[in-house]
Amino acid sequence: MSNEILLLVGALALLDMFSPSIIGVTVYLLLVAKKHQLRLVLTYLITVALFYFSTGIFLMLGLDVIFDPIANLLSSYSARLTMTFVGGILFIGSWLVPKKKTTGAPRPKTLHVSAMIALGFTTSILEVATALPYFAAIGILTSHHLSFYEWLPILAGYNLMMITPGIILLCFHLLFRRYMHQPLRKIQSLFEQSTSSALSWIMFFVGLILLINGGMI
């Protein structure tokens, strides 16, 4: 396994670290929950990470079975050309995403562990279809035909990186509770007033990484 693969997947994981749902829900829980903040936030973050990790394993195993016969029919040049074509579409499309305000991060109706698990599954299911960096990372791992013991820890590390901002915010809140209220409010306001520019940036970088991996840059 080359360092190039690790760098490409790591760059995609960095993009997923700025997930509006993960950061937005974490900030909301830290501001609203008066008790059991540690338990609630960790339950939510672990649920999201496990969902994406399980989805990644399923896709890696499924894509390997589906794409192996196709890969035998395609030359390496054709495969890279396809990757370059998809990357080019995403790169160009990133400049054409219309600007519009979002509704902010989803919020739980009750502050219980069971509600956090349900919220984690709900947000993951709703957003998995738009998880461009994650799908790109899985595509890169699949195209290099890595062994199970090689791609499994990479997926685990990817998902750990994805929830790292939420864990960092939780740690800062537990250590500096008195001083974190205003910064958390500003972060919440930023996400509630955010626009679709986040999607355009994700498309831009995913497209760029695919272009690099396709050998056209």
Side-chain angles (χ1 to χ4, degrees):
M1 180 170 52
S2 66
N3 292 330
E4 178 188 359
I5 299 175
L6 295 177
L7 288 174
L8 289 173
V9 175
L12 292 166
L14 286 175
L15 292 178
D16 258 340
M17 287 176 66
F18 297 96
S19 166
S21 292
I22 291 177
I23 297 178
V25 172
T26 299
V27 169
Y28 176 78
L29 291 174
L30 294 177
L31 288 172
V32 174
K34 303 301 181 183
K35 298 179 180 179
H36 310 302
Q37 293 174 330
L38 178 63
R39 183 190 306 173
L40 294 174
V41 173
L42 287 181
T43 299
Y44 172 73
L45 294 177
I46 291 173
T47 300
V48 173
L50 288 177
F51 178 90
Y52 274 93
F53 184 55
S54 301
T55 302
I57 292 175
F58 174 78
L59 289 175
M60 284 296 300
L61 296 176
L63 289 177
D64 194 49
V65 172
I66 294 172
F67 288 141
D68 268 352
I70 299 176
N72 293 331
L73 296 176
L74 294 174
S75 66
S76 58
Y77 174 78
S78 299
R80 289 184 176 273
L81 188 63
T82 300
M83 188 174 295
T84 301
F85 178 72
V86 174
I89 291 177
L90 290 174
F91 184 85
I92 296 173
S94 68
W95 301 92
L96 305 176
V97 175
K99 303 291 184 180
K100 63 178 181 179
K101 291 186 176 181
T102 62
T103 56
R107 298 178 178 182
K109 294 182 179 179
T110 58
L111 298 177
H112 299 290
V113 171
S114 58
M116 296 302 102
I117 296 175
L119 181 64
F121 275 112
T122 301
T123 56
S124 298
I125 291 172
L126 292 175
E127 293 196 348
V128 71
T130 58
L132 295 178
Y134 197 45
F135 289 142
I138 292 173
I140 291 172
L141 294 176
T142 303
S143 67
H144 285 81
H145 302 285
L146 301 179
S147 302
F148 180 81
Y149 66 87
E150 291 179 306
W151 59 255
L152 187 65
I154 295 178
L155 277 187
Y158 188 107
N159 284 278
L160 181 60
M161 286 182 64
M162 187 171 63
I163 64 172
T164 295
I167 296 176
I168 292 175
L169 287 173
L170 174 63
C171 292
F172 270 96
H173 182 73
L174 294 176
L175 292 173
F176 310 105
R177 186 185 304 266
R178 183 181 303 178
Y179 307 101
M180 285 299 295
H181 186 78
Q182 277 301 114
L184 289 175
R185 284 291 184 190
K186 290 182 179 179
I187 294 175
Q188 184 184 50
S189 176
L190 177 64
F191 275 92
E192 288 180 347
Q193 297 175 7
S194 64
T195 66
S196 56
S197 59
L199 175 60
S200 66
W201 277 109
I202 290 175
M203 290 175 63
F204 174 84
F205 283 112
V206 171
L208 185 62
I209 289 172
L210 289 179
L211 286 172
I212 293 173
N213 198 58
M216 298 302 291
I217 294 182

